[in-house]
Amino acid sequence: RYTYFLLRNDGKYIVKQRDGEKTSTLVDWTDLPAIKKAGDSAAPNDLRIVVGANAVTFSVNGTEATSVPRNRVSADGVFGLRFNHAV
């Protein structure tokens, strides 16, 4: 079981959760002006996930994208990071 935070190179993000074979969308694809888009020269994006007592907050480049109640997010356990082959 894990939660994931994805960015697209068109300036959108999504937050999903996988539990066995089932996946659920916590936040559907949403525009976020703080996301640096494809074509921006040397455009790294700084992703941050902060797990608090009551909520999990997802941010990009210092701008909060969304906050999800902690009881809806699988936030305990092992941390992982994956980069798509197109990055």
Side-chain angles (χ1 to χ4, degrees), residues 36 39-45:
K36 295 177 185 171
D40 293 345
S41 61
N45 284 293

Side-chain angles (χ1 to χ4, degrees), residues 4-85:
Y4 52 105
F5 180 34
L6 302 173
L7 301 186
R8 285 197 318 215
N9 61 7
D10 65 354
K12 293 186 179 189
Y13 74 91
I14 192 171
V15 180
K16 295 189 79 167
Q17 188 159 262
R18 183 171 185 105
D19 189 359
E21 302 229 353
K22 178 185 170 196
T23 59
S24 57
T25 301
L26 300 177
V27 179
D28 208 353
W29 289 110
T30 304
D31 286 315
L32 183 65
I35 296 173
K36 295 177 185 171
K37 298 178 181 153
D40 293 345
S41 61
N45 284 293
D46 176 30
L47 280 66
R48 184 173 297 221
I49 302 169
V50 176
V51 179
N54 298 313
V56 178
T57 303
F58 300 84
S59 301
V60 180
N61 299 322
T63 299
E64 183 177 316
T66 192
S67 186
V68 179
R70 170 107 188 224
N71 63 1
R72 292 190 55 219
V73 178
S74 178
D76 296 314
V78 178
F79 167 82
L81 184 62
R82 176 178 177 248
F83 293 94
N84 182 292
H85 65 278

